[in-house]
Amino acid sequence: MHNAESRTPAASVSAVATEVQTSPLERLKTGYLKFKENYVKDQNLVSSLAEGQAPPYMIIACCDSRVDPCTVLNLPPGEAFVLRNIGNMVPAYSAQSACSSAASAIEYAVLHLKVKHLVVMGHSRCGAVKALMGIEDDGSNRFSEFIEDWVLILKNASKKVKSIHKVAPFAEQCTACEKEVVNASLWNCLSYPFVREKMASGDLTLHGGYYDFVSNAFESWTLDLSCLNDVDKVQ
Amino acid sequence: MRKAFEEFKAYFKKEKELFDALAQSQHPKWMIIACSDSRVDPALVLGLELGEAFILRNIASLIPPHSKQSGHKSGASAIEYAVEHLKVEHIMIVGHSRCGGIKALLEMKEDGSNRFSEYIEDWIQIAQPASEIAKAKVPHDSPFEELWTCCVKESVNLSLRNCMSYPFVKIPMEKGLLTLHGAYFDFVNGAFDVWKLKCKIDEHQSL
C-alpha cells in the first residue's frame, strides 16, 4: 500500500459478533494486505485482469451486508459483474429511463462484456422488501425521502403476494415477496430488447437465486425460454 | 452456483455464532460504494466478513446529486437506508484503475456524435464535471492512462461531494457521526489509496 501509515502485521479477522478494537481504516488495511498476499500468487490472473475483464456472470444482488454475492458464491475477481441496490430490484425497460444504474449496467454487461448468465439474487430478511410490503395504499405511513419511491417500482410483486397469501403472517408474506421480487426483476430484465435478443440467440441465460441465511440454504432456478413467447403480449 | 454455495455452507456452519447474530439483524459500520467491475468486489479486496459493509455497486461507483426530480433513485435510497436506518459510521466511495465507465466518459464527444449505447452514456454523464476537471489538470500531451487515472479520482471526489448534498448525510457529518472517504484501487500496480473528505465550517466571527 502506498501511504505514510506504519505497517501492522496482517492479523486474522475477528467475527462481527465479537468486539473489534481495531480502528476502521486499520481494519480495511489488514483485509487488503491479506487479499494482496493471496492475489499476487496467481500472476497469470493478475496480468490478465489488468488488461481487461470477461466475467461469465452478471449478478444483481441486494446491498445488505449479509449477502455479498462473491462471498456467498465463492467467486474470485474477474468472475462476476455485480450490480447492487436495495432489494435487488430491476425497473422495467422505459425509453424515459435516462440515468438508470440498472439499465446501464445490464446493457454494458450483456452487449459489451457479453456475459453468459444473468442472475438476480434475493435473500431472507430483506429490509427493502419489508418496507415495500409495509407501505399503506394511501401512502399515509411514508417514512423516507427516497426509499418508498425506489421499492415501489416493484409494487406489483407486493400486490400479488398480498392477494395470494391473504391470511399468512406478515413474515411469511415477506418471504414470499422476496422470491416474487426476484421473479419480477427477471421479468423486467426481459423487457429490455437487448436481453431478449441475446436469450433468443442462446447467448444469455437468466437465473433467479434466493439466499436464505436463516436456514443456510441457496435455491436457484433458470428462466424457461418458452416464456419469451409471452413477453410481447405483456406490453 | 450450487457447488460454490456448498463450500460457503461449510464456512457458514463453522461460524454459527456469527451467522445466528446476522440472521437477526445487520449492523454494518461501513457503507461502500464501488464499481460493478468484476475485478473490484470490495468485500473480496478489503477482506470484509459478511455483516461488515452495506455495499452499493453501479458503473463507475457514481452518486448523482440530491434532486427532487423524478427518476430512479437507486443510489439515494441506498444511502438514505444506510445512514438513517442502519446508522453506518463511514461511507467509502471506491474508484479503480482501468475503469471502462470513466474511459467511455472521457471519449464522449460533446455533440454526441459517437454515442454507442442506449443507457450507458446517460448514466456516466453524472461524472461529466469530473471529466472537465481532469482535462484541465492533466497536460494535453500526457499519456491517456494519466488522464484516465486522474478522472477516476476526480469522479470519486465528485460523488463524495454529491453524497454531501443529501441532508441526511450532511447533518451527521457535521455532528461527527459520519465520515466520508474516497479510495482508489489500482489493481495494475497493486495499491489501495484512501483519503477523507473533510468539511469544516469555521466558527462565525463578528466583524
Side-chain angles (χ1 to χ4, degrees):
Chain A
M1 265 178 78
H2 299 169
N3 62 35
E5 291 177 350
S6 60
R7 287 169 186 267
T8 53
S12 59
V13 174
S14 310
V16 167
T18 56
E19 272 304 304
V20 178
Q21 300 301 331
T22 331
S23 82
L25 280 176
E26 279 300 310
R27 167 70 194 92
L28 297 190
K29 185 175 178 177
T30 304
Y32 173 66
L33 290 177
K34 202 167 182 181
F35 162 79
K36 192 177 167 180
E37 201 187 304
N38 285 324
Y39 188 57
V40 301
K41 288 177 183 163
D42 187 346
Q43 275 302 308
N44 285 336
L45 181 67
V46 172
S47 359
S48 106
L49 291 186
E51 292 314 306
Q53 54 168 336
Y57 291 100
M58 173 175 187
I59 302 181
I60 298 167
C62 187
C63 296
D64 195 300
S65 64
R66 300 166 286 188
V67 306
D68 180 70
C70 293
T71 306
V72 171
L73 296 174
N74 205 19
L75 297 168
E79 282 291 296
F81 185 79
V82 177
L83 175 79
R84 291 177 77 174
N85 59 43
I86 57 169
N88 41 269
M89 297 184 177
V90 178
Y93 172 79
S94 160
Q96 280 100 46
S97 283
C99 214
S100 165
S101 62
S104 56
I106 293 170
E107 183 178 9
Y108 189 72
V110 169
L111 292 182
H112 297 270
L113 298 180
K114 303 196 195 307
V115 297
K116 298 263 174 283
H117 302 276
L118 197 162
V119 183
V120 177
M121 184 176 130
H123 71 94
S124 50
R125 306 262 165 104
C126 181
V129 168
K130 189 177 175 196
L132 172 63
M133 288 292 291
I135 294 174
E136 299 283 351
D137 286 337
D138 62 0
S140 55
N141 63 341
R142 193 179 175 93
F143 67 91
S144 80
E145 190 174 356
F146 297 109
I147 299 171
E148 277 103 338
D149 293 337
W150 172 252
V151 300
L152 280 171
I153 59 177
L154 293 187
K155 63 175 179 280
N156 289 341
S158 87
K159 275 192 181 147
K160 182 176 175 185
V161 162
K162 282 173 179 172
S163 82
I164 295 175
H165 302 272
K166 263 201 243 324
V167 296
F170 185 66
E172 257 178 59
Q173 290 184 333
C174 285
T175 301
C177 195
E178 283 152 6
K179 296 179 187 182
E180 192 55 43
V181 157
V182 171
N183 286 330
S185 289
L186 285 169
W187 193 248
N188 284 347
C189 283
L190 272 180
S191 69
Y192 292 83
F194 43 79
V195 171
R196 281 209 300 283
E197 278 161 29
K198 289 290 182 185
M199 278 191 78
S201 61
D203 294 318
L204 179 69
T205 313
L206 263 52
H207 309 263
Y210 182 76
Y211 170 43
D212 182 347
F213 51 68
V214 182
S215 62
N216 190 11
F218 193 104
E219 290 169 52
S220 60
W221 57 98
T222 298
L223 211 62
D224 185 350
L225 276 181
S226 63
C227 76
L228 268 182
N229 296 328
D230 298 334
V231 168
D232 293 324
K233 292 177 203 160
V234 169
Q235 304 301 328
Chain B
M1 276 195 288
R2 218 170 293 276
K3 184 166 167 268
F5 184 69
E6 286 306 314
E7 290 177 27
F8 172 75
K9 213 170 149 174
Y11 166 73
F12 188 110
K13 279 196 177 133
K14 208 172 124 226
E15 302 285 341
K16 196 170 185 318
E17 202 186 300
L18 165 66
F19 286 103
D20 281 347
L22 290 181
Q24 296 316 310
S25 56
Q26 53 168 336
H27 302 282
K29 290 213 189 317
W30 286 93
M31 174 176 189
I32 297 183
I33 298 160
C35 186
S36 294
D37 193 299
S38 64
R39 300 166 287 187
V40 305
D41 183 88
L44 287 184
V45 172
L46 295 170
L48 297 167
E49 296 277 354
L50 293 178
E52 288 198 88
F54 185 79
I55 298 173
L56 174 77
R57 290 179 74 179
N58 59 43
I59 290 179
S61 44
L62 298 179
I63 298 295
H66 182 260
S67 160
K68 295 214 186 289
Q69 281 177 0
S70 66
H72 298 136
K73 304 284 191 205
S74 53
S77 55
I79 295 172
E80 186 177 10
Y81 189 76
V83 175
E84 299 264 273
H85 299 270
L86 299 180
K87 311 252 187 262
V88 297
E89 295 168 16
H90 302 272
I91 296 179
M92 175 177 277
I93 300 184
V94 185
H96 68 93
S97 49
R98 309 265 166 101
C99 181
I102 296 298
K103 182 167 188 260
L105 173 71
L106 287 169
E107 289 171 347
M108 272 167 64
K109 291 211 169 107
E110 266 186 54
D111 60 2
S113 56
N114 65 342
R115 194 180 172 94
F116 67 91
S117 81
E118 192 166 354
Y119 296 108
I120 302 170
E121 276 106 337
D122 293 336
W123 174 254
I124 206 75
Q125 274 268 77
I126 293 168
Q128 181 58 30
S131 167
E132 284 159 21
I133 293 173
K135 285 174 175 167
K137 268 185 164 176
V138 174
H140 285 306
D141 53 359
S142 303
F144 180 75
E145 192 88 37
E146 215 180 292
L147 177 64
W148 198 356
T149 302
C150 180
C151 193
V152 170
K153 292 178 181 176
E154 289 301 335
S155 172
V156 168
N157 288 334
L158 174 69
S159 287
L160 285 170
R161 290 195 295 272
N162 286 346
C163 267
M164 263 181 38
S165 69
Y166 294 84
F168 45 76
V169 171
K170 190 99 188 332
I171 292 169
M173 265 188 87
E174 283 170 355
K175 291 180 179 167
L177 298 172
L178 178 66
T179 309
L180 262 51
H181 308 257
Y184 181 76
F185 173 41
D186 181 349
F187 51 71
V188 178
N189 299 305
F192 196 103
D193 293 342
V194 297
W195 60 94
K196 285 195 178 78
L197 183 74
K198 287 197 166 156
C199 165
K200 187 172 178 283
I201 300 203
D202 285 340
E203 270 183 40
H204 295 189
Q205 288 178 350
S206 298
L207 292 177

